[in-house]
Amino acid sequence: MELFDSIRGPESEPLAHRLRPKTLDEWAGNEKIIGPNGMIRSWLKAKQMPSLLFWGPPGVGKTTLALLIAEALHEAFIQLSAVTSGVKDIKEAAEKARGYRSLGRKTVVFFDEIHRLNKGQQDCLLPFVENGTFTLMGATTENPSFEVNAALLSRMRVIRLERLTEGDLMRVLSRALQHELGYSGKIHFAEEAKALVVSQSEGDARRMLTLLESVISLTPGKTEFSESDLKSLLEQLGDRVIPYDKASDHHYQTISAFIKSMRASDPNAAVYYLARMLQGGEDPMFIARRMIIFASEDVGNADPRALLIAVAAKDALETVGLPEARINLAQAAISLALARKDRAIYDAINAAIEEVKNTGAVPVRLGALPDGLKETSFFRPKENTRDKP
C-alpha cells in the first residue's frame, strides 16, 4: 500500500483522514515520547527502531505514528488488521518483507488492534520479529500485559500514549480550521465555541474532527459559529457518548475509582463514577454486587446497616430496573461512602483461613477455639465502630 494516498479533494475523505499529520513536526500530543527530545526521535536519529507496541485510547494517533516512523526511515509499510488477518496474511507479509530486503529495504508490518490476535497468530509473528524479517508495530487500546502473550511482548517496546490534552486538541482544531485540506480559514469559531468542541472530544482528535465536520455540515453556508450555535447543533447530534468498554481498561479503572471513592468517604466522587458507569452501559447488577461486597469488606460492623442498604439497592434494581433504580444505587453508594469504615471482618476471615491452611484439621472444641489457638485473635475491631457515622 502507498504510505500516504494522494488527496482527491475535500469531499472524498473524512476530515480526520485528510488532516492526518504528514511529519512528526505536525504531531500534537505526547511530547515526552514524540517531541524533539523524545525516545521516538532518538531512535529515528540512530536509524535503529525496535519493534513497538502503541498502547493508548482511541484518537491519539497510534496508526499515524507507525506510518510516520516508516516514512522517516524510508521503509516499506504493510498494514494488517487483527480483525480480518490470519496466519496466511502474516506469512504473505513476511514474503513481501523478504522481497523488499533483497532490494536493500526494510519493512514495517503494522497490526491494528493487535490484542485481537489469537495465540496461534501471535506465535506465528515470533520468528519473523526475532530474525529481523520485519519490524513489528502494533496498536491496542487494551492493557498489553493481559492481551499480548509474554513471548511476543518481550520482543517489543511498549509505548504508552496518553489522551490528548485540551491544549493539544485546541491546536488540532485550529489547524483544521486554517489548513488548506480543512476549511482554509473560511469558517470561524468563537473561542468559547472551540472550547466546547474540545470539551466534547474526550481527548480523541479523530472524534473531535468528526464532530467538527458534522457540526459544519448541518449548516451549509454558515461561516461564523458562536457558543450558543454549537450548543444548539450538538443537541441535534444527540447525546454525548462516554467511552466505556465493559470488558477492558475503562471497566476496571472506573469500578476501581468507584470503590476507592467510597473507601475514601467521598460521596461526590462515588456518585460521579456511578454515573460514568451507568452512562457507559455497565451492567448495573455488577455495580450492585460490588457494593454488597464493599458493605462487609470495608464498612463491616462499623455500621451493620451498610449491608442491608446495599442488598436493598440490589433488590430495588431487580424490582424496578433502570432508569429509576439509578436513584436506589446512588442512595446506596452515598450511604456507603458516608459510613464509618472498619475492615476487621475482612481481615478476620482471611486470617482464619490462613490459620486453617497452616494448622490443618486440629481437634474441634465445641463453642471455643481448638487447643493451641486459645490466645489467637482473628477479629480485631476498631474502637467505637458501632457509633453512628
Side-chain angles (χ1 to χ4, degrees):
M1 62 170 288
E2 294 295 330
L3 196 54
F4 291 106
D5 294 331
S6 60
I7 301 300
R8 296 184 298 276
E11 301 302 324
S12 62
E13 296 172 334
L15 179 64
H17 184 79
R18 299 201 305 271
L19 292 178
R20 175 176 280 176
K22 304 299 188 292
T23 69
L24 286 175
D25 292 333
E26 296 179 355
W27 187 270
N30 290 282
E31 287 295 313
K32 291 182 179 179
I33 296 170
I34 303 158
N37 299 315
M39 64 179 74
I40 296 294
R41 304 263 190 169
S42 297
W43 284 326
L44 288 174
K45 186 176 181 180
K47 298 187 182 300
Q48 293 292 328
M49 188 63 61
S51 290
L52 300 174
L53 197 161
F54 302 115
W55 171 29
V60 296
K62 298 183 290 294
T63 303
T64 298
L65 184 54
L67 285 165
L68 293 178
I69 289 171
E71 184 181 60
L73 293 172
H74 305 290
E75 296 184 3
F77 187 87
I78 300 172
Q79 181 169 348
L80 301 173
S81 170
V83 177
T84 58
S85 302
V87 169
K88 178 183 177 183
D89 300 286
I90 294 170
K91 291 180 177 179
E92 287 178 353
E95 281 301 312
K96 290 180 182 178
R98 291 190 188 99
Y100 285 125
R101 188 167 60 180
S102 68
L103 299 174
R105 191 180 185 192
K106 295 182 178 179
T107 301
V108 168
V109 172
F110 175 76
F111 257 104
D112 195 17
E113 299 189 88
I114 195 170
H115 60 276
R116 292 181 179 268
L117 291 177
N118 61 37
K119 184 180 184 301
Q121 292 164 337
Q122 292 187 38
D123 288 343
C124 181
L125 286 167
L126 285 174
F128 303 127
V129 175
E130 198 163 42
N131 65 24
T133 301
F134 51 70
T135 299
L136 176 64
M137 295 189 187
T140 180
T141 57
E142 309 294 331
N143 187 330
S145 299
F146 301 140
E147 305 295 340
V148 180
N149 71 44
L152 185 57
L153 198 58
S154 69
R155 291 163 173 79
M156 305 180 76
R157 293 290 299 270
V158 177
I159 305 297
R160 180 71 185 269
L161 299 175
E162 304 292 342
R163 288 173 49 171
L164 301 189
T165 66
E166 290 187 0
D168 298 331
L169 290 171
M170 191 64 78
R171 288 193 292 275
V172 174
L173 177 58
S174 297
R175 179 171 177 263
L177 293 172
Q178 297 299 323
H179 200 281
E180 61 182 5
L181 297 178
Y183 295 102
S184 304
K186 298 174 182 178
I187 304 291
H188 303 280
F189 276 62
E191 290 303 313
E192 295 82 1
K194 289 181 182 179
L196 184 56
V197 173
V198 166
S199 72
Q200 297 285 312
S201 304
E202 306 292 344
D204 181 334
R206 182 170 55 244
R207 177 176 180 159
M208 182 187 68
L209 292 174
T210 300
L211 177 61
L212 175 67
E213 193 170 28
S214 298
V215 163
I216 292 174
S217 68
L218 285 174
T219 54
K222 186 175 177 61
T223 59
E224 301 284 341
F225 291 85
S226 66
E227 182 182 17
S228 60
D229 293 331
L230 257 292
K231 288 181 178 178
S232 175
L233 291 167
L234 289 173
E235 287 180 3
Q236 296 181 47
L237 290 172
D239 289 340
R240 181 178 183 176
V241 177
I242 303 297
Y244 194 86
D245 188 329
K246 292 187 285 184
S248 70
D249 285 355
H250 280 117
H251 166 81
Y252 295 110
Q253 290 170 0
T254 311
I255 192 63
S256 177
F258 176 61
I259 296 297
K260 289 177 180 177
S261 297
M262 293 190 294
R263 189 172 292 155
S265 299
D266 187 340
N268 292 309
V271 78
Y272 169 76
Y273 288 114
L274 171 62
R276 279 277 293 266
M277 289 187 286
L278 293 175
Q279 193 66 16
E282 181 60 81
D283 177 6
M285 193 55 68
F286 168 76
I287 302 171
R289 287 194 296 267
R290 291 308 302 261
M291 287 197 289
I292 291 172
I293 296 168
F294 182 91
S296 290
E297 179 178 341
D298 287 273
V299 178
N301 284 337
D303 186 350
R305 297 168 299 178
L307 181 57
L308 301 176
I309 291 170
V311 172
K314 186 269 295 182
D315 291 343
L317 175 61
E318 291 178 329
T319 302
V320 302
L322 293 178
E324 289 80 3
R326 74 190 188 284
I327 308 167
N328 309 113
L329 294 172
Q331 180 183 358
I334 291 170
S335 296
L336 294 173
L338 293 174
R340 288 183 180 275
K341 308 301 189 295
D342 183 6
R343 292 171 66 88
I345 291 174
Y346 174 79
D347 294 337
I349 187 59
N350 285 344
I353 288 172
E354 193 63 29
E355 186 66 36
V356 170
K357 289 179 180 177
N358 293 334
T359 59
V362 297
V364 171
R365 290 182 69 237
L366 297 179
L369 282 169
D371 291 333
L373 298 179
K374 290 181 179 179
E375 304 302 320
T376 303
S377 177
F378 301 115
F379 179 59
R380 299 173 183 176
K382 293 179 181 178
E383 294 182 5
N384 301 321
T385 57
R386 298 297 296 271
D387 290 349
K388 292 182 179 180

